[in-house]
Amino acid sequence: MSRRRNASGIRLRDLLAEAGFGLTTKPMRTFLTTMGIAVGVAALVATVGLAATTTQAVVARFDDLRAREVRAVAADARELSPDLDRRVGYLPGVRSGGILGPPSERPVPVRAFPDAPSLAVPLMPATPGGLQAALASIQGRSLDTASGEVVLVGGDLADVLGVQIRSQPTVLFLGDLPVTVAGIVESVERSSDVLGAIVASPELVERVTQTRGATVLVDVEPGAAQAVAAVLALALRPDDPDAVVVQLMPEARGLRSDVLGELDALGLAISGAVLVVAGLAVAAATMLGVLERRREIGLHRALGARPVHIGLRFLLEAAAVGVFGGIVGVSGGVIAVAVSGSIRDVQPILPLWIVGVAVVVGIAVAVLAGSYPAYRAARLDPIEALRSL
């Protein structure tokens, strides 16, 4: 029966009413404690949601690039056609293509002035089509088929060397060879090692470093990668297609779990720290409430309340803080994920399971934090409690 009393005459409804009264005696303290739990829960929800959203965006971008990228490796760039960019561009489904890489194994000493300290930097062979296939953003002008002793500088390397594009030509020294800087590669979507290298024609790279290998990068229409890969070797070396190794980008099967794992580890560590702080706040507030209500506890004990009832009352107060904090925190986390997705123009993703789990975590943290103060309250001697101020 719902109205059945225990041996001391205290009903669960009475305990709930007393717990609610205890929460309202210090409303500001209760509010701040609840917000502590809410912040921790919101951090947990936002971590999972932002990690899932970011992973989806990264994998989608990776899959998009994979579907539009084909590479071919040749042992000697001299054996490739001089008009390679044009020949590759004629293939059905190709947007652009040309040589880009690999970086020279032997770095070259690069100086901004003849007597300045040198910096060992790799050279990277490239043609205009290769840079275009890498979706490179270039300040200044790109290479051309008659580049000669003209180079591009990767954006990261340009910052180190202090290279800027001005109205007057900028000169660098590759060893003792002066070269003119035509432009700075500010960003690329493929072959990011360009940003830390000197980009030059294959002929110049071979002359300075004796590097002859070449990688042909091809940007294709979505879905055309397989078809282009099937004929690319023949287009590059019609006399000996087997001398060219054609490569497709690997699938992103493991990328999602890798990215999600890294983001979750970082985010969960942050949200865990916040929840620990929130739990300490609940414990401190509950302990303070126990000390302030010693006489009230003694009076309840004198009227027949058992220690378990006193402890249960404070646990109910902590659980209520966890419930409200969990609900507010979940709402805040959902809003954070939605706003972040809107700002970044990506589809926000939030696993449904995290909503229930986050509320349970909030309640668990609050109850665990309130357990010791509740134990202390239950252990108070009623006589000493009534004598206290």
Side-chain angles (χ1 to χ4, degrees):
M1 296 175 62
S2 60
R3 296 181 59 85
R4 186 172 56 192
R5 298 170 181 263
N6 53 40
S8 64
I10 297 179
R11 291 190 289 262
L12 178 60
R13 184 177 65 183
D14 298 329
L15 289 175
L16 292 173
E18 290 175 1
F21 176 78
L23 291 173
T24 58
T25 54
K26 298 287 184 179
M28 183 54 66
R29 180 193 302 168
T30 301
F31 173 76
L32 294 177
T33 307
T34 303
M35 288 301 101
I37 295 293
V39 170
V41 171
L44 177 62
V45 174
T47 293
V48 175
L50 293 177
T53 301
T54 301
T55 301
Q56 180 66 26
V58 170
V59 171
R61 182 58 180 161
F62 187 89
D63 288 341
D64 178 60
L65 290 176
R66 175 183 177 274
R68 297 192 295 111
E69 179 177 332
V70 179
R71 293 176 184 264
V73 179
D76 194 337
R78 297 175 301 175
E79 297 177 351
L80 300 176
S81 173
D83 61 344
L84 177 145
D85 291 13
R86 182 176 59 84
R87 291 173 63 88
V88 172
Y90 283 155
L91 296 176
V94 171
R95 292 178 172 178
S96 59
I99 294 176
L100 185 64
S104 61
E105 295 182 0
R106 182 170 65 88
V108 175
V110 176
R111 299 189 301 272
F113 305 99
D115 298 328
S118 63
L119 180 66
V121 175
L123 297 188
M124 177 171 285
T127 59
L131 291 166
Q132 187 177 353
L135 306 179
S137 173
I138 300 174
Q139 178 190 3
R141 62 185 180 88
S142 183
L143 299 175
D144 54 45
T145 55
S147 291
E149 296 175 354
V150 175
V151 301
L152 301 177
V153 181
D156 295 343
L157 180 60
D159 292 338
V160 174
L161 295 174
V163 174
Q164 297 181 352
I165 300 301
R166 301 184 176 91
S167 57
Q168 297 297 324
T170 300
V171 176
L172 290 179
F173 291 85
L174 306 182
D176 296 326
L177 177 65
V179 294
T180 302
V181 177
I184 297 175
V185 183
E186 296 182 324
S187 64
V188 290
E189 295 195 27
R190 301 185 175 105
S191 300
S192 59
D193 45 2
V194 170
L195 301 177
I198 298 290
V199 182
S201 65
E203 296 78 14
L204 179 58
V205 173
E206 180 189 355
R207 175 150 49 104
V208 175
T209 68
Q210 287 73 54
T211 299
R212 296 181 178 179
T215 298
V216 178
L217 176 64
V218 183
D219 183 30
V220 303
E221 299 288 346
Q226 292 285 351
V228 172
V231 298
L232 182 59
L234 186 62
L236 295 176
R237 288 291 305 274
D239 59 322
D240 187 10
D242 293 336
V244 178
V245 179
V246 179
Q247 302 172 339
L248 291 172
M249 287 187 65
E251 294 188 11
R253 292 177 180 177
L255 182 63
R256 181 186 302 274
S257 59
D258 292 342
V259 175
L260 186 59
E262 293 293 333
L263 293 175
D264 277 348
L266 176 62
L268 290 177
I270 296 174
S271 57
V274 175
L275 283 170
V276 168
V277 174
L280 292 176
V282 172
T286 307
M287 182 60 74
L288 185 60
V290 170
L291 296 176
E292 290 178 344
R293 292 148 64 184
R294 288 169 62 90
R295 297 182 67 183
E296 178 186 340
I297 294 171
L299 181 60
H300 277 78
R301 290 294 309 279
L303 292 176
R306 294 180 178 178
V308 65
H309 300 137
I310 301 299
L312 184 59
R313 172 182 174 180
F314 284 96
L315 282 180
L316 288 173
E317 292 182 14
V321 168
V323 170
F324 289 113
I327 294 173
V328 173
V330 167
S331 302
V334 171
I335 293 172
V337 172
V339 171
S340 175
S342 176
I343 293 175
R344 297 159 56 196
D345 196 24
V346 296
Q347 178 67 38
I349 298 175
L350 185 67
L352 292 179
W353 59 265
I354 191 58
V355 175
V357 169
V359 175
V360 172
V361 167
I363 297 173
V365 169
V367 171
L368 287 175
S371 296
Y372 179 71
Y375 172 78
R376 288 289 303 273
R379 298 286 296 176
L380 281 177
D381 183 86
I383 298 176
E384 292 297 329
L386 288 171
R387 288 176 179 175
S388 63
L389 294 178

